[in-house]
Amino acid sequence: MDNDLTNSSFFRASDIEQALAEIKEEESLAQKDTPTQPSQASIKKRLVLFSLIGVSLINTFVLGVVDVIAVSGFIGHTGIESLPWLWVGELSLSLLISTVVLQIIDKFPRLKIMKKFLIILFATYVLLALFFILQISNKVLYPIMCSPSKVIGQI
């Protein structure tokens, strides 16, 4: 497993470095041919690269905000004694998602898989927003997470 993986992105830092090196190489080749105009492929790669970096930064920010809001809402609704069950559920879900992503990510080209992951993340954020708007988290998720601590507390 590479050490340059980040928590909030599905691509390696070395991929960004490689993409930047390719852009610079193409620009230097294009400057030899036409010194005033960068190539169309170079502009497209640069746009995709900066779009992915921007989306990754937005994703990191959203994950931080959502984590704080979710934990505070959970504690406010169920109490502090249920917090370990939240951590167990969150870590189990993270392990499951990471395992699936690691199995899929090397089988497809990075650009294609990133586009699909971005679509999945967007759909997930919209779904989570609907859950909060409809207060499904209060009606379904909190009682499920709070029930193991009540059962263990009765033993």
Side-chain angles (χ1 to χ4, degrees):
M1 183 181 224
D2 290 337
N3 289 332
D4 56 350
L5 290 175
T6 63
N7 277 345
S8 62
S9 10
F10 295 111
F11 57 92
R12 295 185 293 249
S14 60
D15 292 336
I16 294 174
E17 291 173 17
Q18 182 182 1
L20 285 171
E22 287 176 8
I23 290 170
K24 286 180 182 178
E25 182 179 315
E26 285 182 7
E27 283 181 351
S28 66
L29 290 174
Q31 285 179 354
K32 289 178 185 175
D33 295 336
T34 57
T36 58
Q37 293 283 336
S39 69
Q40 197 70 5
S42 173
I43 293 171
K44 185 175 181 180
K45 282 186 180 182
R46 182 174 285 162
L47 180 65
V48 169
L49 176 67
F50 288 121
S51 296
L52 291 177
I53 290 171
V55 170
S56 179
L57 290 173
I58 291 170
N59 184 43
T60 302
F61 176 73
V62 169
L63 285 175
V65 170
V66 167
D67 193 36
V68 169
I69 292 171
V71 170
S72 64
F74 180 81
I75 290 173
H77 190 274
T78 62
I80 194 83
E81 62 275 351
S82 300
L83 190 59
W85 291 109
L86 175 66
W87 289 339
V88 168
E90 183 180 4
L91 291 174
S92 299
L93 188 60
S94 296
L95 180 65
L96 175 69
I97 291 171
S98 298
T99 303
V100 170
V101 166
L102 288 174
Q103 294 296 320
I104 293 173
I105 201 164
D106 288 331
K107 295 181 182 180
F108 299 101
R110 294 251 189 236
L111 190 58
K112 192 179 282 188
I113 200 74
M114 279 304 297
K115 288 178 182 177
K116 290 182 181 181
F117 277 137
L118 291 176
I119 291 170
I120 291 169
L121 283 174
F122 178 75
T124 303
Y125 289 151
V126 169
L127 184 66
L128 287 173
L130 287 174
F131 282 175
F132 283 113
I133 289 170
L134 299 174
Q135 295 185 351
I136 291 176
S137 59
N138 293 343
K139 296 174 186 170
V140 177
L141 296 178
Y142 290 161
I144 289 172
M145 293 299 291
C146 142
S147 61
S149 63
K150 287 182 181 176
V151 169
I152 290 175
Q154 293 174 355
I155 293 178

mmCIF file with all atom_site columns, all heavy atoms in Angstrom, residues 120-144:
data_model
loop_
_atom_site.group_PDB
_atom_site.id
_atom_site.type_symbol
_atom_site.label_atom_id
_atom_site.label_alt_id
_atom_site.label_comp_id
_atom_site.label_asym_id
_atom_site.label_entity_id
_atom_site.label_seq_id
_atom_site.pdbx_PDB_ins_code
_atom_site.Cartn_x
_atom_site.Cartn_y
_atom_site.Cartn_z
_atom_site.occupancy
_atom_site.B_iso_or_equiv
_atom_site.pdbx_formal_charge
_atom_site.auth_seq_id
_atom_site.auth_comp_id
_atom_site.auth_asym_id
_atom_site.auth_atom_id
_atom_site.pdbx_PDB_model_num
ATOM 1   N N   . ILE A 1 120 ? -20.756 9.439  -7.669 1.00 0.00 ? 120 ILE A N   1
ATOM 2   C CA  . ILE A 1 120 ? -21.244 8.711  -6.497 1.00 0.00 ? 120 ILE A CA  1
ATOM 3   C C   . ILE A 1 120 ? -21.233 9.615  -5.266 1.00 0.00 ? 120 ILE A C   1
ATOM 4   O O   . ILE A 1 120 ? -22.200 9.629  -4.482 1.00 0.00 ? 120 ILE A O   1
ATOM 5   C CB  . ILE A 1 120 ? -20.412 7.429  -6.261 1.00 0.00 ? 120 ILE A CB  1
ATOM 6   C CG1 . ILE A 1 120 ? -20.686 6.415  -7.372 1.00 0.00 ? 120 ILE A CG1 1
ATOM 7   C CG2 . ILE A 1 120 ? -20.706 6.828  -4.895 1.00 0.00 ? 120 ILE A CG2 1
ATOM 8   C CD1 . ILE A 1 120 ? -19.744 5.234  -7.383 1.00 0.00 ? 120 ILE A CD1 1
ATOM 9   N N   . LEU A 1 121 ? -20.155 10.393 -5.083 1.00 0.00 ? 121 LEU A N   1
ATOM 10  C CA  . LEU A 1 121 ? -20.090 11.316 -3.940 1.00 0.00 ? 121 LEU A CA  1
ATOM 11  C C   . LEU A 1 121 ? -21.186 12.372 -4.021 1.00 0.00 ? 121 LEU A C   1
ATOM 12  O O   . LEU A 1 121 ? -21.823 12.690 -3.010 1.00 0.00 ? 121 LEU A O   1
ATOM 13  C CB  . LEU A 1 121 ? -18.719 11.988 -3.880 1.00 0.00 ? 121 LEU A CB  1
ATOM 14  C CG  . LEU A 1 121 ? -17.573 11.152 -3.347 1.00 0.00 ? 121 LEU A CG  1
ATOM 15  C CD1 . LEU A 1 121 ? -16.258 11.902 -3.494 1.00 0.00 ? 121 LEU A CD1 1
ATOM 16  C CD2 . LEU A 1 121 ? -17.799 10.768 -1.898 1.00 0.00 ? 121 LEU A CD2 1
ATOM 17  N N   . PHE A 1 122 ? -21.414 12.918 -5.206 1.00 0.00 ? 122 PHE A N   1
ATOM 18  C CA  . PHE A 1 122 ? -22.469 13.914 -5.370 1.00 0.00 ? 122 PHE A CA  1
ATOM 19  C C   . PHE A 1 122 ? -23.828 13.319 -5.003 1.00 0.00 ? 122 PHE A C   1
ATOM 20  O O   . PHE A 1 122 ? -24.612 13.923 -4.272 1.00 0.00 ? 122 PHE A O   1
ATOM 21  C CB  . PHE A 1 122 ? -22.485 14.442 -6.805 1.00 0.00 ? 122 PHE A CB  1
ATOM 22  C CG  . PHE A 1 122 ? -23.580 15.427 -7.069 1.00 0.00 ? 122 PHE A CG  1
ATOM 23  C CD1 . PHE A 1 122 ? -23.497 16.722 -6.592 1.00 0.00 ? 122 PHE A CD1 1
ATOM 24  C CD2 . PHE A 1 122 ? -24.707 15.052 -7.778 1.00 0.00 ? 122 PHE A CD2 1
ATOM 25  C CE1 . PHE A 1 122 ? -24.517 17.635 -6.818 1.00 0.00 ? 122 PHE A CE1 1
ATOM 26  C CE2 . PHE A 1 122 ? -25.736 15.947 -8.016 1.00 0.00 ? 122 PHE A CE2 1
ATOM 27  C CZ  . PHE A 1 122 ? -25.640 17.241 -7.529 1.00 0.00 ? 122 PHE A CZ  1
ATOM 28  N N   . ALA A 1 123 ? -24.102 12.117 -5.504 1.00 0.00 ? 123 ALA A N   1
ATOM 29  C CA  . ALA A 1 123 ? -25.375 11.454 -5.199 1.00 0.00 ? 123 ALA A CA  1
ATOM 30  C C   . ALA A 1 123 ? -25.498 11.180 -3.701 1.00 0.00 ? 123 ALA A C   1
ATOM 31  O O   . ALA A 1 123 ? -26.580 11.336 -3.118 1.00 0.00 ? 123 ALA A O   1
ATOM 32  C CB  . ALA A 1 123 ? -25.495 10.157 -5.992 1.00 0.00 ? 123 ALA A CB  1
ATOM 33  N N   . THR A 1 124 ? -24.397 10.793 -3.074 1.00 0.00 ? 124 THR A N   1
ATOM 34  C CA  . THR A 1 124 ? -24.408 10.530 -1.635 1.00 0.00 ? 124 THR A CA  1
ATOM 35  C C   . THR A 1 124 ? -24.700 11.801 -0.855 1.00 0.00 ? 124 THR A C   1
ATOM 36  O O   . THR A 1 124 ? -25.494 11.796 0.095  1.00 0.00 ? 124 THR A O   1
ATOM 37  C CB  . THR A 1 124 ? -23.056 9.938  -1.193 1.00 0.00 ? 124 THR A CB  1
ATOM 38  O OG1 . THR A 1 124 ? -22.796 8.762  -1.937 1.00 0.00 ? 124 THR A OG1 1
ATOM 39  C CG2 . THR A 1 124 ? -23.059 9.612  0.284  1.00 0.00 ? 124 THR A CG2 1
ATOM 40  N N   . TYR A 1 125 ? -24.067 12.912 -1.241 1.00 0.00 ? 125 TYR A N   1
ATOM 41  C CA  . TYR A 1 125 ? -24.318 14.177 -0.545 1.00 0.00 ? 125 TYR A CA  1
ATOM 42  C C   . TYR A 1 125 ? -25.770 14.617 -0.712 1.00 0.00 ? 125 TYR A C   1
ATOM 43  O O   . TYR A 1 125 ? -26.384 15.104 0.225  1.00 0.00 ? 125 TYR A O   1
ATOM 44  C CB  . TYR A 1 125 ? -23.376 15.268 -1.045 1.00 0.00 ? 125 TYR A CB  1
ATOM 45  C CG  . TYR A 1 125 ? -21.942 15.079 -0.607 1.00 0.00 ? 125 TYR A CG  1
ATOM 46  C CD1 . TYR A 1 125 ? -20.897 15.548 -1.375 1.00 0.00 ? 125 TYR A CD1 1
ATOM 47  C CD2 . TYR A 1 125 ? -21.626 14.424 0.577  1.00 0.00 ? 125 TYR A CD2 1
ATOM 48  C CE1 . TYR A 1 125 ? -19.577 15.377 -0.967 1.00 0.00 ? 125 TYR A CE1 1
ATOM 49  C CE2 . TYR A 1 125 ? -20.321 14.253 0.976  1.00 0.00 ? 125 TYR A CE2 1
ATOM 50  C CZ  . TYR A 1 125 ? -19.303 14.737 0.200  1.00 0.00 ? 125 TYR A CZ  1
ATOM 51  O OH  . TYR A 1 125 ? -18.013 14.576 0.597  1.00 0.00 ? 125 TYR A OH  1
ATOM 52  N N   . VAL A 1 126 ? -26.326 14.449 -1.888 1.00 0.00 ? 126 VAL A N   1
ATOM 53  C CA  . VAL A 1 126 ? -27.733 14.806 -2.109 1.00 0.00 ? 126 VAL A CA  1
ATOM 54  C C   . VAL A 1 126 ? -28.634 13.908 -1.256 1.00 0.00 ? 126 VAL A C   1
ATOM 55  O O   . VAL A 1 126 ? -29.585 14.397 -0.626 1.00 0.00 ? 126 VAL A O   1
ATOM 56  C CB  . VAL A 1 126 ? -28.091 14.697 -3.609 1.00 0.00 ? 126 VAL A CB  1
ATOM 57  C CG1 . VAL A 1 126 ? -29.582 14.795 -3.827 1.00 0.00 ? 126 VAL A CG1 1
ATOM 58  C CG2 . VAL A 1 126 ? -27.356 15.768 -4.409 1.00 0.00 ? 126 VAL A CG2 1
ATOM 59  N N   . LEU A 1 127 ? -28.321 12.615 -1.201 1.00 0.00 ? 127 LEU A N   1
ATOM 60  C CA  . LEU A 1 127 ? -29.109 11.688 -0.394 1.00 0.00 ? 127 LEU A CA  1
ATOM 61  C C   . LEU A 1 127 ? -29.028 12.047 1.091  1.00 0.00 ? 127 LEU A C   1
ATOM 62  O O   . LEU A 1 127 ? -30.047 12.065 1.797  1.00 0.00 ? 127 LEU A O   1
ATOM 63  C CB  . LEU A 1 127 ? -28.623 10.253 -0.623 1.00 0.00 ? 127 LEU A CB  1
ATOM 64  C CG  . LEU A 1 127 ? -29.390 9.146  0.071  1.00 0.00 ? 127 LEU A CG  1
ATOM 65  C CD1 . LEU A 1 127 ? -30.808 9.058  -0.492 1.00 0.00 ? 127 LEU A CD1 1
ATOM 66  C CD2 . LEU A 1 127 ? -28.673 7.820  -0.114 1.00 0.00 ? 127 LEU A CD2 1
ATOM 67  N N   . LEU A 1 128 ? -27.822 12.367 1.576  1.00 0.00 ? 128 LEU A N   1
ATOM 68  C CA  . LEU A 1 128 ? -27.675 12.761 2.973  1.00 0.00 ? 128 LEU A CA  1
ATOM 69  C C   . LEU A 1 128 ? -28.425 14.059 3.270  1.00 0.00 ? 128 LEU A C   1
ATOM 70  O O   . LEU A 1 128 ? -29.025 14.202 4.340  1.00 0.00 ? 128 LEU A O   1
ATOM 71  C CB  . LEU A 1 128 ? -26.198 12.916 3.331  1.00 0.00 ? 128 LEU A CB  1
ATOM 72  C CG  . LEU A 1 128 ? -25.409 11.620 3.455  1.00 0.00 ? 128 LEU A CG  1
ATOM 73  C CD1 . LEU A 1 128 ? -23.928 11.918 3.650  1.00 0.00 ? 128 LEU A CD1 1
ATOM 74  C CD2 . LEU A 1 128 ? -25.942 10.773 4.588  1.00 0.00 ? 128 LEU A CD2 1
ATOM 75  N N   . ALA A 1 129 ? -28.384 14.988 2.340  1.00 0.00 ? 129 ALA A N   1
ATOM 76  C CA  . ALA A 1 129 ? -29.123 16.236 2.530  1.00 0.00 ? 129 ALA A CA  1
ATOM 77  C C   . ALA A 1 129 ? -30.621 15.952 2.641  1.00 0.00 ? 129 ALA A C   1
ATOM 78  O O   . ALA A 1 129 ? -31.313 16.536 3.495  1.00 0.00 ? 129 ALA A O   1
ATOM 79  C CB  . ALA A 1 129 ? -28.841 17.194 1.378  1.00 0.00 ? 129 ALA A CB  1
ATOM 80  N N   . LEU A 1 130 ? -31.128 15.067 1.805  1.00 0.00 ? 130 LEU A N   1
ATOM 81  C CA  . LEU A 1 130 ? -32.546 14.689 1.891  1.00 0.00 ? 130 LEU A CA  1
ATOM 82  C C   . LEU A 1 130 ? -32.859 14.021 3.227  1.00 0.00 ? 130 LEU A C   1
ATOM 83  O O   . LEU A 1 130 ? -33.907 14.270 3.816  1.00 0.00 ? 130 LEU A O   1
ATOM 84  C CB  . LEU A 1 130 ? -32.913 13.762 0.732  1.00 0.00 ? 130 LEU A CB  1
ATOM 85  C CG  . LEU A 1 130 ? -33.018 14.411 -0.640 1.00 0.00 ? 130 LEU A CG  1
ATOM 86  C CD1 . LEU A 1 130 ? -33.248 13.351 -1.713 1.00 0.00 ? 130 LEU A CD1 1
ATOM 87  C CD2 . LEU A 1 130 ? -34.148 15.425 -0.663 1.00 0.00 ? 130 LEU A CD2 1
ATOM 88  N N   . PHE A 1 131 ? -31.949 13.155 3.710  1.00 0.00 ? 131 PHE A N   1
ATOM 89  C CA  . PHE A 1 131 ? -32.149 12.520 5.013  1.00 0.00 ? 131 PHE A CA  1
ATOM 90  C C   . PHE A 1 131 ? -32.274 13.561 6.119  1.00 0.00 ? 131 PHE A C   1
ATOM 91  O O   . PHE A 1 131 ? -33.132 13.449 6.993  1.00 0.00 ? 131 PHE A O   1
ATOM 92  C CB  . PHE A 1 131 ? -31.003 11.572 5.347  1.00 0.00 ? 131 PHE A CB  1
ATOM 93  C CG  . PHE A 1 131 ? -31.059 10.238 4.641  1.00 0.00 ? 131 PHE A CG  1
ATOM 94  C CD1 . PHE A 1 131 ? -30.028 9.342  4.779  1.00 0.00 ? 131 PHE A CD1 1
ATOM 95  C CD2 . PHE A 1 131 ? -32.133 9.881  3.838  1.00 0.00 ? 131 PHE A CD2 1
ATOM 96  C CE1 . PHE A 1 131 ? -30.059 8.119  4.143  1.00 0.00 ? 131 PHE A CE1 1
ATOM 97  C CE2 . PHE A 1 131 ? -32.177 8.667  3.191  1.00 0.00 ? 131 PHE A CE2 1
ATOM 98  C CZ  . PHE A 1 131 ? -31.140 7.776  3.355  1.00 0.00 ? 131 PHE A CZ  1
ATOM 99  N N   . PHE A 1 132 ? -31.428 14.586 6.077  1.00 0.00 ? 132 PHE A N   1
ATOM 100 C CA  . PHE A 1 132 ? -31.486 15.610 7.119  1.00 0.00 ? 132 PHE A CA  1
ATOM 101 C C   . PHE A 1 132 ? -32.707 16.497 6.958  1.00 0.00 ? 132 PHE A C   1
ATOM 102 O O   . PHE A 1 132 ? -33.306 16.911 7.956  1.00 0.00 ? 132 PHE A O   1
ATOM 103 C CB  . PHE A 1 132 ? -30.208 16.443 7.135  1.00 0.00 ? 132 PHE A CB  1
ATOM 104 C CG  . PHE A 1 132 ? -29.049 15.728 7.781  1.00 0.00 ? 132 PHE A CG  1
ATOM 105 C CD1 . PHE A 1 132 ? -27.962 15.347 7.032  1.00 0.00 ? 132 PHE A CD1 1
ATOM 106 C CD2 . PHE A 1 132 ? -29.063 15.443 9.132  1.00 0.00 ? 132 PHE A CD2 1
ATOM 107 C CE1 . PHE A 1 132 ? -26.897 14.678 7.626  1.00 0.00 ? 132 PHE A CE1 1
ATOM 108 C CE2 . PHE A 1 132 ? -28.012 14.785 9.737  1.00 0.00 ? 132 PHE A CE2 1
ATOM 109 C CZ  . PHE A 1 132 ? -26.926 14.403 8.981  1.00 0.00 ? 132 PHE A CZ  1
ATOM 110 N N   . ILE A 1 133 ? -33.081 16.802 5.731  1.00 0.00 ? 133 ILE A N   1
ATOM 111 C CA  . ILE A 1 133 ? -34.276 17.624 5.510  1.00 0.00 ? 133 ILE A CA  1
ATOM 112 C C   . ILE A 1 133 ? -35.529 16.895 5.990  1.00 0.00 ? 133 ILE A C   1
ATOM 113 O O   . ILE A 1 133 ? -36.400 17.477 6.632  1.00 0.00 ? 133 ILE A O   1
ATOM 114 C CB  . ILE A 1 133 ? -34.393 18.010 4.020  1.00 0.00 ? 133 ILE A CB  1
ATOM 115 C CG1 . ILE A 1 133 ? -33.301 19.019 3.659  1.00 0.00 ? 133 ILE A CG1 1
ATOM 116 C CG2 . ILE A 1 133 ? -35.770 18.582 3.709  1.00 0.00 ? 133 ILE A CG2 1
ATOM 117 C CD1 . ILE A 1 133 ? -33.179 19.278 2.171  1.00 0.00 ? 133 ILE A CD1 1
ATOM 118 N N   . LEU A 1 134 ? -35.611 15.597 5.683  1.00 0.00 ? 134 LEU A N   1
ATOM 119 C CA  . LEU A 1 134 ? -36.769 14.809 6.089  1.00 0.00 ? 134 LEU A CA  1
ATOM 120 C C   . LEU A 1 134 ? -36.650 14.273 7.510  1.00 0.00 ? 134 LEU A C   1
ATOM 121 O O   . LEU A 1 134 ? -37.539 13.568 7.988  1.00 0.00 ? 134 LEU A O   1
ATOM 122 C CB  . LEU A 1 134 ? -36.956 13.642 5.113  1.00 0.00 ? 134 LEU A CB  1
ATOM 123 C CG  . LEU A 1 134 ? -37.211 14.030 3.653  1.00 0.00 ? 134 LEU A CG  1
ATOM 124 C CD1 . LEU A 1 134 ? -37.225 12.791 2.765  1.00 0.00 ? 134 LEU A CD1 1
ATOM 125 C CD2 . LEU A 1 134 ? -38.503 14.800 3.522  1.00 0.00 ? 134 LEU A CD2 1
ATOM 126 N N   . GLN A 1 135 ? -35.550 14.566 8.195  1.00 0.00 ? 135 GLN A N   1
ATOM 127 C CA  . GLN A 1 135 ? -35.253 14.127 9.563  1.00 0.00 ? 135 GLN A CA  1
ATOM 128 C C   . GLN A 1 135 ? -35.313 12.614 9.721  1.00 0.00 ? 135 GLN A C   1
ATOM 129 O O   . GLN A 1 135 ? -35.763 12.088 10.734 1.00 0.00 ? 135 GLN A O   1
ATOM 130 C CB  . GLN A 1 135 ? -36.172 14.821 10.554 1.00 0.00 ? 135 GLN A CB  1
ATOM 131 C CG  . GLN A 1 135 ? -35.946 16.313 10.622 1.00 0.00 ? 135 GLN A CG  1
ATOM 132 C CD  . GLN A 1 135 ? -36.766 16.988 11.685 1.00 0.00 ? 135 GLN A CD  1
ATOM 133 O OE1 . GLN A 1 135 ? -37.646 16.382 12.279 1.00 0.00 ? 135 GLN A OE1 1
ATOM 134 N NE2 . GLN A 1 135 ? -36.483 18.248 11.919 1.00 0.00 ? 135 GLN A NE2 1
ATOM 135 N N   . ILE A 1 136 ? -34.842 11.924 8.696  1.00 0.00 ? 136 ILE A N   1
ATOM 136 C CA  . ILE A 1 136 ? -34.784 10.460 8.762  1.00 0.00 ? 136 ILE A CA  1
ATOM 137 C C   . ILE A 1 136 ? -33.728 10.024 9.771  1.00 0.00 ? 136 ILE A C   1
ATOM 138 O O   . ILE A 1 136 ? -33.893 9.012  10.441 1.00 0.00 ? 136 ILE A O   1
ATOM 139 C CB  . ILE A 1 136 ? -34.513 9.866  7.367  1.00 0.00 ? 136 ILE A CB  1
ATOM 140 C CG1 . ILE A 1 136 ? -35.742 10.085 6.486  1.00 0.00 ? 136 ILE A CG1 1
ATOM 141 C CG2 . ILE A 1 136 ? -34.155 8.396  7.433  1.00 0.00 ? 136 ILE A CG2 1
ATOM 142 C CD1 . ILE A 1 136 ? -35.589 9.643  5.063  1.00 0.00 ? 136 ILE A CD1 1
ATOM 143 N N   . SER A 1 137 ? -32.668 10.807 9.908  1.00 0.00 ? 137 SER A N   1
ATOM 144 C CA  . SER A 1 137 ? -31.615 10.449 10.864 1.00 0.00 ? 137 SER A CA  1
ATOM 145 C C   . SER A 1 137 ? -32.169 10.397 12.289 1.00 0.00 ? 137 SER A C   1
ATOM 146 O O   . SER A 1 137 ? -31.811 9.521  13.073 1.00 0.00 ? 137 SER A O   1
ATOM 147 C CB  . SER A 1 137 ? -30.453 11.427 10.775 1.00 0.00 ? 137 SER A CB  1
ATOM 148 O OG  . SER A 1 137 ? -30.892 12.735 11.048 1.00 0.00 ? 137 SER A OG  1
ATOM 149 N N   . ASN A 1 138 ? -33.049 11.321 12.628 1.00 0.00 ? 138 ASN A N   1
ATOM 150 C CA  . ASN A 1 138 ? -33.642 11.325 13.968 1.00 0.00 ? 138 ASN A CA  1
ATOM 151 C C   . ASN A 1 138 ? -34.604 10.166 14.176 1.00 0.00 ? 138 ASN A C   1
ATOM 152 O O   . ASN A 1 138 ? -34.709 9.625  15.268 1.00 0.00 ? 138 ASN A O   1
ATOM 153 C CB  . ASN A 1 138 ? -34.393 12.629 14.224 1.00 0.00 ? 138 ASN A CB  1
ATOM 154 C CG  . ASN A 1 138 ? -33.480 13.815 14.302 1.00 0.00 ? 138 ASN A CG  1
ATOM 155 O OD1 . ASN A 1 138 ? -32.282 13.670 14.470 1.00 0.00 ? 138 ASN A OD1 1
ATOM 156 N ND2 . ASN A 1 138 ? -34.053 14.997 14.170 1.00 0.00 ? 138 ASN A ND2 1
ATOM 157 N N   . LYS A 1 139 ? -35.307 9.774  13.144 1.00 0.00 ? 139 LYS A N   1
ATOM 158 C CA  . LYS A 1 139 ? -36.350 8.762  13.274 1.00 0.00 ? 139 LYS A CA  1
ATOM 159 C C   . LYS A 1 139 ? -35.833 7.338  13.135 1.00 0.00 ? 139 LYS A C   1
ATOM 160 O O   . LYS A 1 139 ? -36.392 6.416  13.725 1.00 0.00 ? 139 LYS A O   1
ATOM 161 C CB  . LYS A 1 139 ? -37.429 9.003  12.218 1.00 0.00 ? 139 LYS A CB  1
ATOM 162 C CG  . LYS A 1 139 ? -38.150 10.316 12.383 1.00 0.00 ? 139 LYS A CG  1
ATOM 163 C CD  . LYS A 1 139 ? -39.089 10.564 11.239 1.00 0.00 ? 139 LYS A CD  1
ATOM 164 C CE  . LYS A 1 139 ? -39.704 11.949 11.346 1.00 0.00 ? 139 LYS A CE  1
ATOM 165 N NZ  . LYS A 1 139 ? -40.445 12.326 10.156 1.00 0.00 ? 139 LYS A NZ  1
ATOM 166 N N   . VAL A 1 140 ? -34.761 7.139  12.358 1.00 0.00 ? 140 VAL A N   1
ATOM 167 C CA  . VAL A 1 140 ? -34.296 5.785  12.060 1.00 0.00 ? 140 VAL A CA  1
ATOM 168 C C   . VAL A 1 140 ? -32.904 5.508  12.614 1.00 0.00 ? 140 VAL A C   1
ATOM 169 O O   . VAL A 1 140 ? -32.697 4.543  13.346 1.00 0.00 ? 140 VAL A O   1
ATOM 170 C CB  . VAL A 1 140 ? -34.315 5.534  10.531 1.00 0.00 ? 140 VAL A CB  1
ATOM 171 C CG1 . VAL A 1 140 ? -33.769 4.162  10.199 1.00 0.00 ? 140 VAL A CG1 1
ATOM 172 C CG2 . VAL A 1 140 ? -35.720 5.691  9.983  1.00 0.00 ? 140 VAL A CG2 1
ATOM 173 N N   . LEU A 1 141 ? -31.934 6.342  12.254 1.00 0.00 ? 141 LEU A N   1
ATOM 174 C CA  . LEU A 1 141 ? -30.547 6.037  12.577 1.00 0.00 ? 141 LEU A CA  1
ATOM 175 C C   . LEU A 1 141 ? -30.228 6.181  14.060 1.00 0.00 ? 141 LEU A C   1
ATOM 176 O O   . LEU A 1 141 ? -29.541 5.330  14.628 1.00 0.00 ? 141 LEU A O   1
ATOM 177 C CB  . LEU A 1 141 ? -29.614 6.924  11.753 1.00 0.00 ? 141 LEU A CB  1
ATOM 178 C CG  . LEU A 1 141 ? -29.685 6.713  10.238 1.00 0.00 ? 141 LEU A CG  1
ATOM 179 C CD1 . LEU A 1 141 ? -28.761 7.680  9.531  1.00 0.00 ? 141 LEU A CD1 1
ATOM 180 C CD2 . LEU A 1 141 ? -29.335 5.287  9.873  1.00 0.00 ? 141 LEU A CD2 1
ATOM 181 N N   . TYR A 1 142 ? -30.688 7.219  14.709 1.00 0.00 ? 142 TYR A N   1
ATOM 182 C CA  . TYR A 1 142 ? -30.361 7.411  16.118 1.00 0.00 ? 142 TYR A CA  1
ATOM 183 C C   . TYR A 1 142 ? -30.919 6.292  17.001 1.00 0.00 ? 142 TYR A C   1
ATOM 184 O O   . TYR A 1 142 ? -30.202 5.781  17.843 1.00 0.00 ? 142 TYR A O   1
ATOM 185 C CB  . TYR A 1 142 ? -30.849 8.769  16.606 1.00 0.00 ? 142 TYR A CB  1
ATOM 186 C CG  . TYR A 1 142 ? -30.090 9.947  16.035 1.00 0.00 ? 142 TYR A CG  1
ATOM 187 C CD1 . TYR A 1 142 ? -30.642 11.221 16.053 1.00 0.00 ? 142 TYR A CD1 1
ATOM 188 C CD2 . TYR A 1 142 ? -28.819 9.807  15.492 1.00 0.00 ? 142 TYR A CD2 1
ATOM 189 C CE1 . TYR A 1 142 ? -29.957 12.310 15.540 1.00 0.00 ? 142 TYR A CE1 1
ATOM 190 C CE2 . TYR A 1 142 ? -28.131 10.891 14.973 1.00 0.00 ? 142 TYR A CE2 1
ATOM 191 C CZ  . TYR A 1 142 ? -28.704 12.135 15.004 1.00 0.00 ? 142 TYR A CZ  1
ATOM 192 O OH  . TYR A 1 142 ? -28.024 13.207 14.503 1.00 0.00 ? 142 TYR A OH  1
ATOM 193 N N   . PRO A 1 143 ? -32.174 5.889  16.839 1.00 0.00 ? 143 PRO A N   1
ATOM 194 C CA  . PRO A 1 143 ? -32.662 4.768  17.665 1.00 0.00 ? 143 PRO A CA  1
ATOM 195 C C   . PRO A 1 143 ? -31.887 3.465  17.423 1.00 0.00 ? 143 PRO A C   1
ATOM 196 O O   . PRO A 1 143 ? -31.662 2.701  18.361 1.00 0.00 ? 143 PRO A O   1
ATOM 197 C CB  . PRO A 1 143 ? -34.126 4.618  17.237 1.00 0.00 ? 143 PRO A CB  1
ATOM 198 C CG  . PRO A 1 143 ? -34.506 5.965  16.754 1.00 0.00 ? 143 PRO A CG  1
ATOM 199 C CD  . PRO A 1 143 ? -33.272 6.515  16.102 1.00 0.00 ? 143 PRO A CD  1
ATOM 200 N N   . ILE A 1 144 ? -31.458 3.232  16.194 1.00 0.00 ? 144 ILE A N   1
ATOM 201 C CA  . ILE A 1 144 ? -30.680 2.020  15.917 1.00 0.00 ? 144 ILE A CA  1
ATOM 202 C C   . ILE A 1 144 ? -29.339 2.072  16.642 1.00 0.00 ? 144 ILE A C   1
ATOM 203 O O   . ILE A 1 144 ? -28.905 1.097  17.258 1.00 0.00 ? 144 ILE A O   1
ATOM 204 C CB  . ILE A 1 144 ? -30.464 1.848  14.398 1.00 0.00 ? 144 ILE A CB  1
ATOM 205 C CG1 . ILE A 1 144 ? -31.765 1.470  13.720 1.00 0.00 ? 144 ILE A CG1 1
ATOM 206 C CG2 . ILE A 1 144 ? -29.394 0.788  14.109 1.00 0.00 ? 144 ILE A CG2 1
ATOM 207 C CD1 . ILE A 1 144 ? -31.686 1.457  12.200 1.00 0.00 ? 144 ILE A CD1 1
#
